[in-house]
Amino acid sequence: MLKSLPAVEVQFSENKWKINLNDSTTCDLHHVSHLLDSNEVEKIPGSISGPLLYATTYEWLDSIKVDVHHKLIQQITSLIQDQERINHWPHVVNLSRSILLIDPVNDDALHYQVSALIELKKAGQAKASYEQFTERYKQLYNEPYPITFDEISA
């Protein structure tokens, strides 16, 4: 099927399949992997709009997606920590939102986001972010989120 696409080249080399995309074809996983490999981490938050390869359900891709998501979250968390050190709160909010797009129930991202919004004197937005998070958490785990807003915002 992939071979039939004009913008995609499939190769088998060194016991591995490789897919080459031309410039007119985009793949979020390929793009983000390239940014990670080339150490252009600061460009990643603007490049993601949700979990990578969201609509794909191939079992063989699961471990690849998990690995890239894990690396991505680690790199964005590192950027958040850099921004916290210099009190650049708007950037912390945007970066934490990027993590929550990838992993909607990431505790650390919630903590970063709520803290940054409180630093920006946006307690209402912080509370709304917390409530959205707890709703998603309840939907996924069928139990309430164990940490209160007051505990996170302290």
Side-chain angles (χ1 to χ4, degrees), residues 72-122:
L72 195 52
I73 289 170
Q74 281 183 318
Q75 293 296 323
I76 295 172
T77 298
S78 179
L79 286 175
I80 288 172
Q81 291 165 348
D82 291 345
Q83 295 303 306
E84 273 190 323
R85 279 192 280 284
I86 60 171
N87 297 330
H88 197 255
W89 304 117
H91 208 112
V92 172
V93 171
N94 290 333
L95 291 167
S96 62
R97 283 186 183 141
S98 295
I99 291 175
L100 290 168
L101 286 171
I102 300 164
D103 178 4
V105 289
N106 185 292
D107 290 319
D108 293 333
L110 174 66
H111 287 266
Y112 289 126
Q113 187 175 48
V114 167
S115 297
L117 287 167
I118 288 171
E119 288 291 337
L120 291 167
K121 309 287 188 248
K122 295 181 178 183

